PDB file of all heavy atoms in Angstrom:
ATOM      1  N   TYR A  63      14.374  -3.980  -4.990  1.00  0.00           N
ATOM      2  CA  TYR A  63      13.625  -4.104  -3.598  1.00  0.00           C
ATOM      3  C   TYR A  63      14.487  -4.269  -2.381  1.00  0.00           C
ATOM      4  O   TYR A  63      14.535  -3.547  -1.492  1.00  0.00           O
ATOM      5  CB  TYR A  63      12.545  -5.187  -3.645  1.00  0.00           C
ATOM      6  CG  TYR A  63      11.848  -5.376  -2.375  1.00  0.00           C
ATOM      7  CD1 TYR A  63      10.837  -4.515  -1.895  1.00  0.00           C
ATOM      8  CD2 TYR A  63      12.304  -6.435  -1.505  1.00  0.00           C
ATOM      9  CE1 TYR A  63      10.233  -4.750  -0.570  1.00  0.00           C
ATOM     10  CE2 TYR A  63      11.542  -6.702  -0.387  1.00  0.00           C
ATOM     11  CZ  TYR A  63      10.658  -5.833   0.113  1.00  0.00           C
ATOM     12  OH  TYR A  63      10.022  -5.962   1.384  1.00  0.00           O
ATOM     13  N   TYR A  64      15.290  -5.427  -2.681  1.00  0.00           N
ATOM     14  CA  TYR A  64      16.311  -5.728  -1.506  1.00  0.00           C
ATOM     15  C   TYR A  64      17.463  -4.525  -1.360  1.00  0.00           C
ATOM     16  O   TYR A  64      17.751  -4.292  -0.147  1.00  0.00           O
ATOM     17  CB  TYR A  64      16.965  -7.024  -1.754  1.00  0.00           C
ATOM     18  CG  TYR A  64      15.977  -8.228  -1.507  1.00  0.00           C
ATOM     19  CD1 TYR A  64      15.586  -9.083  -2.461  1.00  0.00           C
ATOM     20  CD2 TYR A  64      15.523  -8.313  -0.211  1.00  0.00           C
ATOM     21  CE1 TYR A  64      14.755 -10.099  -2.391  1.00  0.00           C
ATOM     22  CE2 TYR A  64      14.638  -9.426  -0.017  1.00  0.00           C
ATOM     23  CZ  TYR A  64      14.243 -10.312  -1.083  1.00  0.00           C
ATOM     24  OH  TYR A  64      13.393 -11.223  -0.779  1.00  0.00           O
ATOM     25  N   LEU A  65      17.899  -3.961  -2.351  1.00  0.00           N
ATOM     26  CA  LEU A  65      18.721  -2.870  -2.262  1.00  0.00           C
ATOM     27  C   LEU A  65      18.233  -1.702  -1.485  1.00  0.00           C
ATOM     28  O   LEU A  65      18.855  -1.041  -0.687  1.00  0.00           O
ATOM     29  CB  LEU A  65      19.381  -2.531  -3.612  1.00  0.00           C
ATOM     30  CG  LEU A  65      20.239  -3.393  -4.304  1.00  0.00           C
ATOM     31  CD1 LEU A  65      20.558  -2.813  -5.751  1.00  0.00           C
ATOM     32  CD2 LEU A  65      21.532  -3.659  -3.540  1.00  0.00           C
ATOM     33  N   LYS A  66      17.007  -1.511  -1.797  1.00  0.00           N
ATOM     34  CA  LYS A  66      16.252  -0.380  -1.056  1.00  0.00           C
ATOM     35  C   LYS A  66      16.140  -0.699   0.370  1.00  0.00           C
ATOM     36  O   LYS A  66      16.287   0.154   1.272  1.00  0.00           O
ATOM     37  CB  LYS A  66      14.866   0.009  -1.734  1.00  0.00           C
ATOM     38  CG  LYS A  66      14.212   1.067  -1.162  1.00  0.00           C
ATOM     39  CD  LYS A  66      12.819   1.498  -1.942  1.00  0.00           C
ATOM     40  CE  LYS A  66      12.134   2.665  -1.281  1.00  0.00           C
ATOM     41  NZ  LYS A  66      10.857   2.943  -1.997  1.00  0.00           N
ATOM     42  N   GLN A  67      15.723  -1.929   0.718  1.00  0.00           N
ATOM     43  CA  GLN A  67      15.570  -2.338   2.014  1.00  0.00           C
ATOM     44  C   GLN A  67      16.815  -2.327   2.775  1.00  0.00           C
ATOM     45  O   GLN A  67      16.938  -1.918   4.081  1.00  0.00           O
ATOM     46  CB  GLN A  67      15.054  -3.798   2.166  1.00  0.00           C
ATOM     47  CG  GLN A  67      13.611  -3.993   1.558  1.00  0.00           C
ATOM     48  CD  GLN A  67      12.513  -3.405   2.482  1.00  0.00           C
ATOM     49  OE1 GLN A  67      11.993  -2.331   2.124  1.00  0.00           O
ATOM     50  NE2 GLN A  67      12.329  -3.957   3.490  1.00  0.00           N
ATOM     51  N   SER A  68      17.971  -2.396   2.108  1.00  0.00           N
ATOM     52  CA  SER A  68      19.163  -2.418   2.866  1.00  0.00           C
ATOM     53  C   SER A  68      19.600  -1.034   3.335  1.00  0.00           C
ATOM     54  O   SER A  68      20.386  -0.879   4.260  1.00  0.00           O
ATOM     55  CB  SER A  68      20.401  -3.015   1.950  1.00  0.00           C
ATOM     56  OG  SER A  68      20.717  -2.103   0.887  1.00  0.00           O
ATOM     57  N   GLY A  69      19.182   0.036   2.549  1.00  0.00           N
ATOM     58  CA  GLY A  69      19.570   1.331   2.922  1.00  0.00           C
ATOM     59  C   GLY A  69      21.047   1.634   2.437  1.00  0.00           C
ATOM     60  O   GLY A  69      21.487   2.777   2.694  1.00  0.00           O
ATOM     61  N   ALA A  70      21.602   0.808   1.587  1.00  0.00           N
ATOM     62  CA  ALA A  70      23.032   0.991   1.095  1.00  0.00           C
ATOM     63  C   ALA A  70      23.054   1.975   0.001  1.00  0.00           C
ATOM     64  O   ALA A  70      22.052   2.103  -0.714  1.00  0.00           O
ATOM     65  CB  ALA A  70      23.541  -0.401   0.628  1.00  0.00           C
ATOM     66  N   ASP A  71      24.195   2.677  -0.084  1.00  0.00           N
ATOM     67  CA  ASP A  71      24.389   3.498  -1.284  1.00  0.00           C
ATOM     68  C   ASP A  71      24.881   2.656  -2.448  1.00  0.00           C
ATOM     69  O   ASP A  71      25.928   1.914  -2.142  1.00  0.00           O
ATOM     70  CB  ASP A  71      25.539   4.668  -0.890  1.00  0.00           C
ATOM     71  CG  ASP A  71      24.833   5.559   0.069  1.00  0.00           C
ATOM     72  OD1 ASP A  71      23.669   5.910   0.097  1.00  0.00           O
ATOM     73  OD2 ASP A  71      25.699   6.105   0.930  1.00  0.00           O
ATOM     74  N   VAL A  72      24.303   2.626  -3.483  1.00  0.00           N
ATOM     75  CA  VAL A  72      24.645   1.692  -4.511  1.00  0.00           C
ATOM     76  C   VAL A  72      25.225   2.463  -5.767  1.00  0.00           C
ATOM     77  O   VAL A  72      24.731   3.488  -6.320  1.00  0.00           O
ATOM     78  CB  VAL A  72      23.383   0.873  -5.083  1.00  0.00           C
ATOM     79  CG1 VAL A  72      23.835  -0.133  -6.236  1.00  0.00           C
ATOM     80  CG2 VAL A  72      22.753   0.209  -3.925  1.00  0.00           C
ATOM     81  N   PHE A  73      26.418   1.986  -6.237  1.00  0.00           N
ATOM     82  CA  PHE A  73      27.135   2.652  -7.356  1.00  0.00           C
ATOM     83  C   PHE A  73      27.207   1.592  -8.404  1.00  0.00           C
ATOM     84  O   PHE A  73      27.814   0.542  -8.116  1.00  0.00           O
ATOM     85  CB  PHE A  73      28.562   3.174  -6.900  1.00  0.00           C
ATOM     86  CG  PHE A  73      28.386   4.264  -5.849  1.00  0.00           C
ATOM     87  CD1 PHE A  73      28.409   3.949  -4.560  1.00  0.00           C
ATOM     88  CD2 PHE A  73      28.234   5.583  -6.160  1.00  0.00           C
ATOM     89  CE1 PHE A  73      28.404   4.775  -3.533  1.00  0.00           C
ATOM     90  CE2 PHE A  73      28.144   6.409  -5.144  1.00  0.00           C
ATOM     91  CZ  PHE A  73      28.181   6.134  -3.860  1.00  0.00           C
ATOM     92  N   TYR A  74      26.707   1.828  -9.641  1.00  0.00           N
ATOM     93  CA  TYR A  74      26.716   0.919 -10.665  1.00  0.00           C
ATOM     94  C   TYR A  74      27.885   1.113 -11.664  1.00  0.00           C
ATOM     95  O   TYR A  74      28.507   2.278 -11.719  1.00  0.00           O
ATOM     96  CB  TYR A  74      25.446   1.053 -11.513  1.00  0.00           C
ATOM     97  CG  TYR A  74      24.205   0.674 -10.653  1.00  0.00           C
ATOM     98  CD1 TYR A  74      23.313   1.619 -10.111  1.00  0.00           C
ATOM     99  CD2 TYR A  74      23.756  -0.704 -10.388  1.00  0.00           C
ATOM    100  CE1 TYR A  74      22.262   1.294  -9.427  1.00  0.00           C
ATOM    101  CE2 TYR A  74      22.624  -1.027  -9.674  1.00  0.00           C
ATOM    102  CZ  TYR A  74      21.943  -0.019  -9.191  1.00  0.00           C
ATOM    103  OH  TYR A  74      20.804  -0.248  -8.424  1.00  0.00           O
ATOM    104  N   GLU A  75      28.216   0.126 -12.479  1.00  0.00           N
ATOM    105  CA  GLU A  75      29.195   0.246 -13.585  1.00  0.00           C
ATOM    106  C   GLU A  75      30.508   0.672 -12.951  1.00  0.00           C
ATOM    107  O   GLU A  75      31.270   1.463 -13.688  1.00  0.00           O
ATOM    108  CB  GLU A  75      28.668   1.173 -14.667  1.00  0.00           C
ATOM    109  CG  GLU A  75      27.325   0.703 -15.314  1.00  0.00           C
ATOM    110  CD  GLU A  75      26.915   1.552 -16.458  1.00  0.00           C
ATOM    111  OE1 GLU A  75      27.723   2.444 -16.736  1.00  0.00           O
ATOM    112  OE2 GLU A  75      25.874   1.406 -16.902  1.00  0.00           O
ATOM    113  N   GLN A  76      31.008   0.044 -11.916  1.00  0.00           N
ATOM    114  CA  GLN A  76      32.348   0.185 -11.280  1.00  0.00           C
ATOM    115  C   GLN A  76      33.047  -0.975 -11.562  1.00  0.00           C
ATOM    116  O   GLN A  76      32.885  -2.068 -10.851  1.00  0.00           O
ATOM    117  CB  GLN A  76      32.161   0.563  -9.739  1.00  0.00           C
ATOM    118  CG  GLN A  76      31.275   1.644  -9.483  1.00  0.00           C
ATOM    119  CD  GLN A  76      31.721   2.996 -10.068  1.00  0.00           C
ATOM    120  OE1 GLN A  76      32.869   3.302  -9.770  1.00  0.00           O
ATOM    121  NE2 GLN A  76      30.889   3.840 -10.671  1.00  0.00           N
ATOM    122  N   HIS A  77      33.873  -0.947 -12.455  1.00  0.00           N
ATOM    123  CA  HIS A  77      34.654  -2.184 -12.935  1.00  0.00           C
ATOM    124  C   HIS A  77      36.021  -2.230 -11.892  1.00  0.00           C
ATOM    125  O   HIS A  77      37.011  -1.588 -12.178  1.00  0.00           O
ATOM    126  CB  HIS A  77      35.120  -1.951 -14.392  1.00  0.00           C
ATOM    127  CG  HIS A  77      35.770  -3.110 -14.954  1.00  0.00           C
ATOM    128  ND1 HIS A  77      35.919  -3.464 -16.343  1.00  0.00           N
ATOM    129  CD2 HIS A  77      36.511  -4.249 -14.416  1.00  0.00           C
ATOM    130  CE1 HIS A  77      36.661  -4.639 -16.524  1.00  0.00           C
ATOM    131  NE2 HIS A  77      37.042  -5.094 -15.387  1.00  0.00           N
ATOM    132  N   VAL A  78      35.875  -3.191 -11.122  1.00  0.00           N
ATOM    133  CA  VAL A  78      36.866  -3.444 -10.132  1.00  0.00           C
ATOM    134  C   VAL A  78      38.043  -4.239 -10.809  1.00  0.00           C
ATOM    135  O   VAL A  78      37.798  -5.231 -11.367  1.00  0.00           O
ATOM    136  CB  VAL A  78      36.294  -4.138  -8.833  1.00  0.00           C
ATOM    137  CG1 VAL A  78      37.560  -4.728  -8.022  1.00  0.00           C
ATOM    138  CG2 VAL A  78      35.400  -3.391  -8.051  1.00  0.00           C
ATOM    139  N   THR A  79      39.265  -3.787 -10.552  1.00  0.00           N
ATOM    140  CA  THR A  79      40.387  -4.482 -11.211  1.00  0.00           C
ATOM    141  C   THR A  79      41.430  -5.004 -10.168  1.00  0.00           C
ATOM    142  O   THR A  79      41.944  -6.094 -10.365  1.00  0.00           O
ATOM    143  CB  THR A  79      41.035  -3.472 -12.090  1.00  0.00           C
ATOM    144  OG1 THR A  79      41.547  -2.380 -11.227  1.00  0.00           O
ATOM    145  CG2 THR A  79      40.293  -3.013 -13.169  1.00  0.00           C
ATOM    146  N   HIS A  80      41.597  -4.317  -9.083  1.00  0.00           N
ATOM    147  CA  HIS A  80      42.597  -4.734  -8.018  1.00  0.00           C
ATOM    148  C   HIS A  80      42.010  -4.782  -6.690  1.00  0.00           C
ATOM    149  O   HIS A  80      41.236  -3.778  -6.347  1.00  0.00           O
ATOM    150  CB  HIS A  80      43.730  -3.821  -8.085  1.00  0.00           C
ATOM    151  CG  HIS A  80      44.587  -3.978  -9.278  1.00  0.00           C
ATOM    152  ND1 HIS A  80      44.153  -3.537 -10.516  1.00  0.00           N
ATOM    153  CD2 HIS A  80      45.913  -4.455  -9.561  1.00  0.00           C
ATOM    154  CE1 HIS A  80      45.122  -3.751 -11.476  1.00  0.00           C
ATOM    155  NE2 HIS A  80      46.095  -4.231 -10.830  1.00  0.00           N
ATOM    156  N   ILE A  81      42.366  -5.671  -5.695  1.00  0.00           N
ATOM    157  CA  ILE A  81      42.134  -5.661  -4.350  1.00  0.00           C
ATOM    158  C   ILE A  81      43.406  -5.813  -3.661  1.00  0.00           C
ATOM    159  O   ILE A  81      44.079  -6.856  -3.713  1.00  0.00           O
ATOM    160  CB  ILE A  81      41.027  -6.690  -3.962  1.00  0.00           C
ATOM    161  CG1 ILE A  81      39.719  -6.403  -4.713  1.00  0.00           C
ATOM    162  CG2 ILE A  81      40.733  -6.655  -2.505  1.00  0.00           C
ATOM    163  CD1 ILE A  81      38.623  -7.457  -4.426  1.00  0.00           C
TER     164      ILE A  81
END
Side-chain angles (χ1 to χ4, degrees):
Y63 171 79
Y64 285 120
L65 289 176
K66 185 177 180 181
Q67 292 293 104
S68 74
D71 294 323
V72 183
F73 299 90
Y74 297 99
E75 298 182 11
Q76 305 295 311
H77 186 159
V78 172
T79 58
H80 293 67
I81 297 179

